[in-house]
Amino acid sequence: MSGHAALDALAAACGVLPEFIDLWGQERVTPPDTKRALLRANGLAVDSDAMVEEALADLRQRDRTRIAPPEVVGVAGTPTIIETRGPVEWRVLLEEGGLHEGSAEGPLTLPPLPDGVHDLVLSRPGQHQRVTLILAPARLPSVPSVTGQDRIWGVTAALYGLRSGRTAGLGDYEDLARLAETFGQVGAGFLGVNPVHNWGWATPEAISPYSPSHRGYLNTAHIAVDCVPGLDTHPEARRICAEVQGAAGQGALIDYAAATGAVRRALTKLYALFQSSAPAPAQAAFDRFRAAGGDGLDRFAQFEALSERHGGDWRDWPEALHDMSLPSVVSEAAPLAKRRAFHMWLQWVADHQLNAAQTRAQAAGMLPGLYLDLAVGPRRGGAETWSERDMVADGVSIGAPPDQLSPGGQAWALAAMSPVKLARTRYRGLRGILRRTMRHAGILRIDHVLGFNRSFWLPDDGSPGAYMRQPMQALLAITAIEAARAGTVVVGEDLGLVPPGFRESMAERGVYGYSVLQFEKDDNGRFRPPEDLRPQSLACFATHDTPTLNGYWSGADIGWWRRLGWGAADAGDDLIARRETEKQALLDAIGPTGGQDVFCRVHAALARSPAAMVAVQLDDLLGVTEAQNLPGTTDEHPNWRRRYETPVEAIAASANVRIAADLMQGAGRHLSTTIDCEDQP
């Protein structure tokens, strides 16, 4: 076999897609250099043709001699049929303990077993094989099963941008709880926020919620310093909290350095006070949290402590500290035991406050409650890639080819998860991330869920990006297991270049899609009427990555494109003319219901759609024009920095809050009264 043929065969066998169709319908072929880079990322040695042929031969030999597939995905509670080669003895070691065993002459039929990731051991004379057996519920939790309602509505907001007089200038978990109570009282079923993943103590400059240090742990910059358990009424704690209030000012843009600096100084003092003065029940609760966190929490805290000494990117640390299993890591971490305990305490406080926000949301009538967001990946030098390195692809990052959100394509500088390594570790790291994120989430939005099918990898060596196939059925099953245990509804953000059949496969398993009205067009480019939106979806007008309603109507996003010099110099006029045409086409599609006001017409249309969930952006409720984020930019646009003008305490009195609630109620989402937008001020 020629070198090129062997490379093509190996790449195909390992999931490197040979081509893809781009935004303009053109076929993009994956070049040889990219194939080698993506294979290396999965741990294969392919630096020469001989090495490629050796790897291919080894792969084919394993396929010829194995008894059964190395991984089997089935449905919990039903028999699982597995094709085997010849008669076998089998044993299933259940995840939660317990043993089932037997023998089979031909295809193996396992009895109904509970959900989980189990060990299946197959034996025949002279040979044993271990199979990963993933059994999941047939479908994920649904809106009706969780809420008792067929159609609900809620609000999405930027947590960092919430304004109140009690904070340093960055929205916190107490603001989240109060906002949830506000919207729960007017009939909303959920409150969604940007990811609350950990940023990293030593990287205060990392402000994007979609570029976290670790997705399995919480952002401590959002801790409400005046609500630390055990110190709520302590006089010294009150004095410390008073120093924080307003430390970053109240300008239109957040001063992150001032805000996070003030919060961190306060938390350092509060931890010392907690150690010396907190009541025994609070101390015991922290001890239980620390014990339950196990090795994962310890590894995370170890990274945080080491980062204070060496910086927030472990790739810049001394080589001896790159691998956490090395004795040098253990010896250096030992003197940092007090700092590790501090970072565990921060996670306990954040977890306690997020749990309280969910409890208060549901007490206010909000079901499912909090709607949290899972970022597509972590920063490459952060805590997750250090502590969960056995699932990270080497020498690549993830992004997206040109699509509707960013015609220039995107490079996210985030770590990719290797399908080979995920399978080898039985998805342990990913399961932990899902479990911890779902713990306080009535709904979980998975950002760029297209990555469950294929992930666009950008090699560090500069070769063109290409798609790596992912183990979609296994990833769906893992998600279903954790969602069922947590009682969490899952929404998959499925915008971009969608492979044929992908949305149908996700829907079949119970994942809700994402219907963004400004992108909802048929094959002829016409806007779909509201009644044609997918019933099994969350519908909204905009997201954090798109223009707000006011921004879309005024062309604010086009203004940014012009300002940044994107496209031809004369393209701006064409874009404005096209936007005017689109606006009228959208209004024609949604019809006259709701009067003349654009906010009312758009949200009345969403309310009456068959979509199971409708999200109203807080930005649109408050009449914000500028978007939270402009994809394809970092510092050119004030991404993630805008603060809402209206304080949390005053949001309930905003006119559009009552209007939106009445529109949703009038369409049968929770309540039953109606209102005419023409009568509103």
Side-chain angles (χ1 to χ4, degrees):
M1 181 179 291
S2 70
H4 282 301
L7 177 62
D8 292 345
L10 182 62
C14 294
V16 179
L17 271 62
E19 72 279 319
F20 69 95
I21 304 300
D22 68 13
L23 179 63
W24 301 279
Q26 300 297 312
E27 183 182 85
R28 300 290 180 181
V29 176
T30 304
D33 285 349
T34 299
K35 290 180 178 179
R36 291 181 187 273
L38 269 55
L39 289 169
R40 289 190 199 98
N42 280 290
L44 278 73
V46 291
D47 291 341
S48 67
D49 288 348
M51 295 170 77
V52 169
E53 292 175 7
E54 182 180 349
L56 180 62
D58 181 61
L59 181 65
R60 289 176 171 172
Q61 175 64 18
R62 290 202 306 271
D63 286 343
R64 282 193 297 269
T65 58
R66 70 188 185 190
I67 304 172
E71 181 177 279
V72 173
V73 178
V75 177
T78 66
T80 303
I81 300 174
I82 304 172
E83 292 295 330
T84 59
R85 291 175 176 152
V88 294
E89 302 288 328
W90 62 269
R91 288 184 300 135
V92 176
L93 307 174
L94 297 179
E95 177 181 281
E96 302 295 335
L99 172 67
H100 293 258
E101 58 187 343
S103 60
E105 290 297 322
L108 167 60
T109 300
L110 296 176
L113 297 171
D115 67 34
V117 180
H118 312 304
D119 271 328
L120 170 62
V121 180
L122 302 176
S123 301
R124 62 187 183 189
Q127 187 178 6
H128 301 278
Q129 182 187 343
R130 180 187 182 199
V131 174
T132 300
L133 179 63
I134 307 174
L135 300 181
R139 290 180 62 83
L140 284 81
S142 67
V143 169
S145 70
V146 171
T147 71
Q149 303 282 338
D150 291 328
R151 297 157 70 246
I152 62 174
W153 73 283
V155 176
T156 55
L159 175 58
Y160 56 85
L162 296 180
R163 179 194 298 266
S164 65
R166 24 166 307 284
T167 71
L170 191 68
D172 63 25
Y173 297 123
E174 175 64 16
D175 291 329
L176 175 63
R178 295 184 183 189
L179 192 62
E181 290 172 330
T182 292
F183 285 113
Q185 290 162 5
V186 297
F190 60 86
L191 173 61
V193 291
N194 48 271
V196 291
H197 307 315
N198 184 266
W199 280 343
W201 186 263
T203 49
E205 71 281 359
I207 67 171
S208 170
Y210 291 92
S211 183
S213 175
H214 200 308
R215 294 173 296 168
Y217 295 96
L218 294 172
N219 190 335
T220 56
H222 293 310
I223 288 176
V225 297
D226 54 343
C227 300
V228 172
L231 300 178
D232 309 62
T233 60
H234 196 287
E236 178 62 13
R238 290 183 174 182
R239 186 193 66 76
I240 293 170
C241 295
E243 295 176 352
V244 170
Q245 293 175 358
Q250 293 294 322
L253 297 182
I254 299 165
D255 182 343
Y256 275 95
T260 58
V263 168
R264 290 174 180 191
R265 288 191 296 274
L267 288 171
T268 300
K269 296 175 183 177
L270 289 169
Y271 177 58
L273 188 62
F274 180 88
Q275 289 179 296
S276 63
S277 305
Q283 300 271 7
F286 171 46
D287 289 340
R288 288 193 299 273
F289 175 85
R290 184 171 179 173
D295 291 341
L297 178 61
D298 188 68
R299 290 196 304 270
F300 168 77
Q302 188 163 284
F303 175 90
E304 290 288 82
L306 287 169
S307 73
E308 292 186 79
R309 179 174 291 182
H310 299 289
D313 190 327
W314 63 264
R315 295 171 298 177
D316 297 330
W317 295 0
E319 188 75 26
L321 299 179
H322 285 193
D323 186 338
M324 66 179 182
S325 65
L326 293 174
S328 51
V329 173
V330 177
S331 62
E332 180 153 351
L336 301 176
K338 292 182 179 179
R339 294 307 292 173
R340 284 163 40 214
F342 170 63
H343 289 292
M344 292 180 187
W345 179 80
L346 292 176
Q347 287 302 308
W348 172 66
V349 174
D351 185 84
H352 176 91
Q353 293 185 356
L354 190 57
N355 178 64
Q358 171 71 331
T359 300
R360 288 164 61 180
Q362 294 182 335
M366 183 176 275
L367 289 175
L370 296 184
Y371 161 27
L372 302 183
D373 201 341
L374 179 70
V376 68
R379 286 200 311 274
R380 297 182 68 186
E384 186 176 329
T385 60
W386 186 79
S387 61
E388 305 290 351
R389 197 168 180 184
D390 54 4
M391 70 177 187
V392 177
D394 300 314
V396 296
S397 62
I398 54 176
D403 60 18
Q404 299 96 323
L405 289 175
S406 181
Q410 299 178 68
W412 298 327
L414 301 176
M417 302 297 107
S418 160
V420 173
K421 295 181 179 181
L422 282 171
R424 186 182 301 146
T425 58
R426 305 173 74 225
Y427 306 92
R428 181 187 61 250
L430 178 61
R431 287 191 74 188
I433 290 167
L434 288 169
R435 186 179 306 120
R436 289 188 290 268
T437 306
M438 289 178 177
R439 185 162 53 201
H440 307 308
I443 303 172
L444 178 67
R445 173 188 181 272
I446 298 179
D447 189 38
H448 194 65
V449 77
L450 298 174
F452 272 30
N453 176 270
R454 60 184 190 179
S455 182
F456 195 74
W457 288 8
L458 299 164
D460 292 347
D461 64 11
S463 54
Y467 278 109
M468 169 62 65
R469 183 177 290 109
Q470 298 293 322
M472 180 170 164
Q473 294 308 316
L475 295 175
L476 277 173
I478 293 295
T479 304
I481 292 169
E482 298 303 332
R485 294 179 180 182
T488 300
V489 175
V490 174
V491 175
E493 185 268 288
D494 51 4
L495 306 179
L497 301 180
V498 183
F502 174 79
R503 285 175 171 159
E504 292 77 8
S505 296
M506 299 295 280
E508 185 178 339
R509 292 303 300 268
V511 177
Y512 287 80
Y514 209 52
S515 297
V516 181
L517 199 59
Q518 57 187 288
F519 295 145
E520 283 291 328
K521 298 179 181 180
D522 61 24
D523 293 339
N524 296 314
R526 293 187 295 261
F527 282 102
R528 292 187 178 89
E531 56 268 23
D532 287 350
L533 296 182
R534 289 175 284 167
Q536 193 172 311
S537 72
L538 181 145
C540 55
F541 176 77
T543 77
H544 58 269
D545 280 336
T546 73
T548 63
L549 181 56
N550 276 357
Y552 183 88
W553 230 255
S554 66
D557 57 318
I558 297 172
W560 275 102
W561 278 54
R562 279 178 148 175
R563 207 171 308 166
L564 296 172
W566 290 358
D570 58 351
D573 292 338
D574 290 340
L575 290 173
I576 291 172
R578 189 185 310 164
R579 177 62 54 80
E580 291 300 315
T581 301
E582 284 191 339
K583 285 160 52 178
Q584 187 57 54
L586 178 60
L587 292 176
D588 291 343
I590 65 179
T593 303
Q596 297 301 310
D597 180 80
V598 172
F599 177 87
C600 286
R601 289 187 67 176
V602 166
H603 289 93
L606 288 169
R608 71 175 188 269
S609 77
M613 292 171 276
V614 166
V616 185
Q617 275 204 136
L618 183 60
D619 305 70
D620 295 331
L621 286 170
L622 300 180
V624 175
T625 296
E626 296 291 352
Q628 296 173 31
N629 179 52
L630 182 61
T633 64
T634 50
D635 297 326
E636 304 93 329
H637 178 272
N639 298 334
W640 321 118
R641 291 178 173 87
R642 299 193 186 282
R643 183 182 280 124
Y644 294 112
E645 290 186 8
T646 307
V648 170
E649 299 84 357
I651 285 174
S654 300
N656 277 350
V657 170
R658 186 69 257 174
I659 290 172
D662 288 336
L663 286 171
M664 299 298 160
Q665 295 163 17
R669 295 182 184 269
H670 276 307
L671 303 180
S672 59
T673 59
T674 59
I675 194 166
D676 185 350
C677 283
E678 299 286 5
D679 296 333
Q680 296 303 308

